[in-house]
Each structure stands twice: as C-alpha cells, then as structure tokens.
Amino acid sequence: MKVFVFFFLTALVLVSARPQNDVVITSYTNENIGVDGYSFGYEQSDGTAHQETGELKNAGSENEAMSVRGSFTFKGADGVVYTVNYVADENGFQPEGAHIPK
C-alpha cells in the first residue's frame, strides 16, 4: 500500500508541475487570391500576434518583386513584450524594434 501511495503522489506532483501552455488562436484573417498580393494576420491567447501584407511591385517587368510589410509581437523569456516591424523587398529584410540595435 505504501508503494502505491508513493507512486500516486509522485505522479500527482509530476502532473501538477507540467507547464500549462494551452495557447489558442483568438483571431485569424487571410486574404490571398493568388494575384498581385496577399494579407494575413493572427493573434493568440498568449499575446503573440503577426500581421503581414505583400504587394507585387513592377508586375510583368524584369524588375518584378514582392514587397512585404508586417509586424509581430511576442513575450520574451524575460517577461518583456517585444514588437518587430519589418519590410522585406528588393533591398532585403529590414527589421525595426526598440530592442534591435541600430
């Protein structure tokens, strides 16, 4: 009986100590018809969010390129909420954020 109680209490401690990461998507949008560009965004119950739009520049020319703008937000391991705004185009990926060195 003592062995049973020991294993039961050990299992109870292990189950109660596991992280509770039940993150769910609270909103989601997606607009993509496959022509000229797209837009999407989502938010999660833990505060994580991401929004992005893409636009085709110089369509049909030799310099045709996708230009993307967006932002994402997340909570770091230090408890601070970080936001990154970015542009990605023919000049590369260009992130900006209060925590990113210039």
mmCIF file of all heavy atoms in Angstrom, residues 41-62:
data_model
loop_
_atom_site.group_PDB
_atom_site.id
_atom_site.type_symbol
_atom_site.label_atom_id
_atom_site.label_comp_id
_atom_site.label_asym_id
_atom_site.label_seq_id
_atom_site.Cartn_x
_atom_site.Cartn_y
_atom_site.Cartn_z
ATOM 1 N N GLY A 41 -3.111 37.776 -40.904
ATOM 2 C CA GLY A 41 -2.819 38.157 -39.534
ATOM 3 C C GLY A 41 -3.433 37.175 -38.564
ATOM 4 O O GLY A 41 -4.403 36.498 -38.879
ATOM 5 N N TYR A 42 -2.824 37.081 -37.392
ATOM 6 C CA TYR A 42 -3.393 36.251 -36.335
ATOM 7 C C TYR A 42 -2.996 36.802 -34.980
ATOM 8 O O TYR A 42 -2.014 37.529 -34.853
ATOM 9 C CB TYR A 42 -2.966 34.783 -36.465
ATOM 10 C CG TYR A 42 -1.487 34.545 -36.264
ATOM 11 C CD1 TYR A 42 -0.948 34.383 -34.977
ATOM 12 C CD2 TYR A 42 -0.627 34.454 -37.341
ATOM 13 C CE1 TYR A 42 0.401 34.165 -34.803
ATOM 14 C CE2 TYR A 42 0.718 34.223 -37.177
ATOM 15 C CZ TYR A 42 1.237 34.077 -35.900
ATOM 16 O OH TYR A 42 2.578 33.854 -35.726
ATOM 17 N N GLU A 43 -3.777 36.463 -33.983
ATOM 18 C CA GLU A 43 -3.467 36.770 -32.595
ATOM 19 C C GLU A 43 -3.716 35.513 -31.791
ATOM 20 O O GLU A 43 -4.617 34.736 -32.097
ATOM 21 C CB GLU A 43 -4.344 37.909 -32.074
ATOM 22 C CG GLU A 43 -4.040 39.234 -32.724
ATOM 23 C CD GLU A 43 -4.870 40.373 -32.161
ATOM 24 O OE1 GLU A 43 -5.283 40.296 -30.983
ATOM 25 O OE2 GLU A 43 -5.097 41.333 -32.902
ATOM 26 N N GLN A 44 -2.914 35.310 -30.750
ATOM 27 C CA GLN A 44 -3.049 34.139 -29.892
ATOM 28 C C GLN A 44 -3.368 34.575 -28.469
ATOM 29 O O GLN A 44 -3.133 35.718 -28.088
ATOM 30 C CB GLN A 44 -1.749 33.322 -29.904
ATOM 31 C CG GLN A 44 -1.410 32.773 -31.253
ATOM 32 C CD GLN A 44 -0.125 31.986 -31.276
ATOM 33 O OE1 GLN A 44 0.137 31.332 -32.243
ATOM 34 N NE2 GLN A 44 0.701 32.038 -30.254
ATOM 35 N N SER A 45 -3.870 33.664 -27.682
ATOM 36 C CA SER A 45 -4.273 33.980 -26.318
ATOM 37 C C SER A 45 -3.106 34.379 -25.420
ATOM 38 O O SER A 45 -3.308 35.007 -24.389
ATOM 39 C CB SER A 45 -5.015 32.793 -25.707
ATOM 40 O OG SER A 45 -4.195 31.637 -25.689
ATOM 41 N N ASP A 46 -1.872 34.062 -25.800
ATOM 42 C CA ASP A 46 -0.709 34.449 -25.002
ATOM 43 C C ASP A 46 -0.160 35.819 -25.387
ATOM 44 O O ASP A 46 0.867 36.249 -24.878
ATOM 45 C CB ASP A 46 0.395 33.397 -25.112
ATOM 46 C CG ASP A 46 0.992 33.292 -26.501
ATOM 47 O OD1 ASP A 46 0.439 33.892 -27.451
ATOM 48 O OD2 ASP A 46 2.005 32.581 -26.650
ATOM 49 N N GLY A 47 -0.838 36.530 -26.293
ATOM 50 C CA GLY A 47 -0.405 37.864 -26.700
ATOM 51 C C GLY A 47 0.447 37.888 -27.951
ATOM 52 O O GLY A 47 0.745 38.948 -28.487
ATOM 53 N N THR A 48 0.857 36.741 -28.440
ATOM 54 C CA THR A 48 1.621 36.675 -29.675
ATOM 55 C C THR A 48 0.722 37.092 -30.832
ATOM 56 O O THR A 48 -0.438 36.710 -30.888
ATOM 57 C CB THR A 48 2.141 35.248 -29.912
ATOM 58 O OG1 THR A 48 2.969 34.861 -28.816
ATOM 59 C CG2 THR A 48 2.921 35.144 -31.208
ATOM 60 N N ALA A 49 1.271 37.903 -31.745
ATOM 61 C CA ALA A 49 0.490 38.359 -32.897
ATOM 62 C C ALA A 49 1.419 38.551 -34.086
ATOM 63 O O ALA A 49 2.616 38.782 -33.924
ATOM 64 C CB ALA A 49 -0.223 39.662 -32.579
ATOM 65 N N HIS A 50 0.854 38.453 -35.283
ATOM 66 C CA HIS A 50 1.617 38.663 -36.512
ATOM 67 C C HIS A 50 0.653 39.157 -37.581
ATOM 68 O O HIS A 50 -0.402 38.578 -37.781
ATOM 69 C CB HIS A 50 2.259 37.345 -36.948
ATOM 70 C CG HIS A 50 3.197 37.483 -38.106
ATOM 71 N ND1 HIS A 50 3.906 36.422 -38.600
ATOM 72 C CD2 HIS A 50 3.561 38.525 -38.873
ATOM 73 C CE1 HIS A 50 4.659 36.814 -39.617
ATOM 74 N NE2 HIS A 50 4.452 38.093 -39.803
ATOM 75 N N GLN A 51 1.023 40.255 -38.235
ATOM 76 C CA GLN A 51 0.265 40.785 -39.359
ATOM 77 C C GLN A 51 1.250 41.018 -40.500
ATOM 78 O O GLN A 51 2.372 41.464 -40.269
ATOM 79 C CB GLN A 51 -0.411 42.123 -39.016
ATOM 80 C CG GLN A 51 -1.523 42.033 -38.000
ATOM 81 C CD GLN A 51 -1.021 41.950 -36.575
ATOM 82 O OE1 GLN A 51 -0.025 42.535 -36.226
ATOM 83 N NE2 GLN A 51 -1.713 41.196 -35.745
ATOM 84 N N GLU A 52 0.797 40.746 -41.740
ATOM 85 C CA GLU A 52 1.680 40.924 -42.886
ATOM 86 C C GLU A 52 0.867 41.171 -44.142
ATOM 87 O O GLU A 52 -0.203 40.597 -44.315
ATOM 88 C CB GLU A 52 2.541 39.667 -43.051
ATOM 89 C CG GLU A 52 3.535 39.760 -44.187
ATOM 90 C CD GLU A 52 4.445 38.551 -44.234
ATOM 91 O OE1 GLU A 52 5.251 38.363 -43.297
ATOM 92 O OE2 GLU A 52 4.320 37.783 -45.196
ATOM 93 N N THR A 53 1.387 42.044 -45.003
ATOM 94 C CA THR A 53 0.808 42.260 -46.327
ATOM 95 C C THR A 53 1.923 42.198 -47.351
ATOM 96 O O THR A 53 3.039 42.635 -47.109
ATOM 97 C CB THR A 53 0.098 43.624 -46.445
ATOM 98 O OG1 THR A 53 1.044 44.665 -46.178
ATOM 99 C CG2 THR A 53 -1.065 43.735 -45.492
ATOM 100 N N GLY A 54 1.612 41.649 -48.498
ATOM 101 C CA GLY A 54 2.569 41.576 -49.593
ATOM 102 C C GLY A 54 1.953 42.176 -50.830
ATOM 103 O O GLY A 54 0.771 41.988 -51.113
ATOM 104 N N GLU A 55 2.758 42.941 -51.551
ATOM 105 C CA GLU A 55 2.283 43.616 -52.760
ATOM 106 C C GLU A 55 3.290 43.393 -53.875
ATOM 107 O O GLU A 55 4.494 43.538 -53.676
ATOM 108 C CB GLU A 55 2.144 45.116 -52.468
ATOM 109 C CG GLU A 55 1.721 45.939 -53.641
ATOM 110 C CD GLU A 55 1.725 47.437 -53.307
ATOM 111 O OE1 GLU A 55 2.104 47.821 -52.193
ATOM 112 O OE2 GLU A 55 1.350 48.203 -54.191
ATOM 113 N N LEU A 56 2.783 43.042 -55.045
ATOM 114 C CA LEU A 56 3.648 42.829 -56.197
ATOM 115 C C LEU A 56 4.011 44.179 -56.806
ATOM 116 O O LEU A 56 3.145 44.964 -57.160
ATOM 117 C CB LEU A 56 2.949 41.950 -57.228
ATOM 118 C CG LEU A 56 3.776 41.506 -58.421
ATOM 119 C CD1 LEU A 56 4.976 40.677 -57.960
ATOM 120 C CD2 LEU A 56 2.924 40.707 -59.387
ATOM 121 N N LYS A 57 5.306 44.452 -56.903
ATOM 122 C CA LYS A 57 5.798 45.703 -57.491
ATOM 123 C C LYS A 57 6.342 45.430 -58.889
ATOM 124 O O LYS A 57 6.929 44.383 -59.131
ATOM 125 C CB LYS A 57 6.931 46.286 -56.624
ATOM 126 C CG LYS A 57 6.530 46.610 -55.208
ATOM 127 C CD LYS A 57 5.898 47.952 -55.153
ATOM 128 C CE LYS A 57 5.660 48.326 -53.701
ATOM 129 N NZ LYS A 57 5.614 49.712 -53.477
ATOM 130 N N ASN A 58 6.142 46.364 -59.789
ATOM 131 C CA ASN A 58 6.658 46.270 -61.165
ATOM 132 C C ASN A 58 6.182 44.991 -61.864
ATOM 133 O O ASN A 58 6.973 44.289 -62.494
ATOM 134 C CB ASN A 58 8.187 46.338 -61.185
ATOM 135 C CG ASN A 58 8.720 47.578 -60.511
ATOM 136 O OD1 ASN A 58 8.202 48.675 -60.710
ATOM 137 N ND2 ASN A 58 9.747 47.416 -59.696
ATOM 138 N N ALA A 59 4.899 44.695 -61.744
ATOM 139 C CA ALA A 59 4.347 43.466 -62.312
ATOM 140 C C ALA A 59 4.618 43.358 -63.805
ATOM 141 O O ALA A 59 4.450 44.321 -64.556
ATOM 142 C CB ALA A 59 2.843 43.406 -62.063
ATOM 143 N N GLY A 60 5.065 42.192 -64.223
ATOM 144 C CA GLY A 60 5.305 41.913 -65.627
ATOM 145 C C GLY A 60 6.616 42.447 -66.167
ATOM 146 O O GLY A 60 6.945 42.197 -67.319
ATOM 147 N N SER A 61 7.365 43.175 -65.369
ATOM 148 C CA SER A 61 8.636 43.720 -65.847
ATOM 149 C C SER A 61 9.800 42.847 -65.396
ATOM 150 O O SER A 61 9.640 41.906 -64.623
ATOM 151 C CB SER A 61 8.840 45.146 -65.326
ATOM 152 O OG SER A 61 9.207 45.125 -63.966
ATOM 153 N N GLU A 62 10.974 43.197 -65.858
ATOM 154 C CA GLU A 62 12.186 42.486 -65.473
ATOM 155 C C GLU A 62 12.492 42.692 -63.992
ATOM 156 O O GLU A 62 13.147 41.877 -63.355
ATOM 157 C CB GLU A 62 13.361 42.990 -66.329
ATOM 158 C CG GLU A 62 14.639 42.226 -66.148
ATOM 159 C CD GLU A 62 15.708 42.727 -67.095
ATOM 160 O OE1 GLU A 62 15.518 42.622 -68.319
ATOM 161 O OE2 GLU A 62 16.728 43.237 -66.586
#
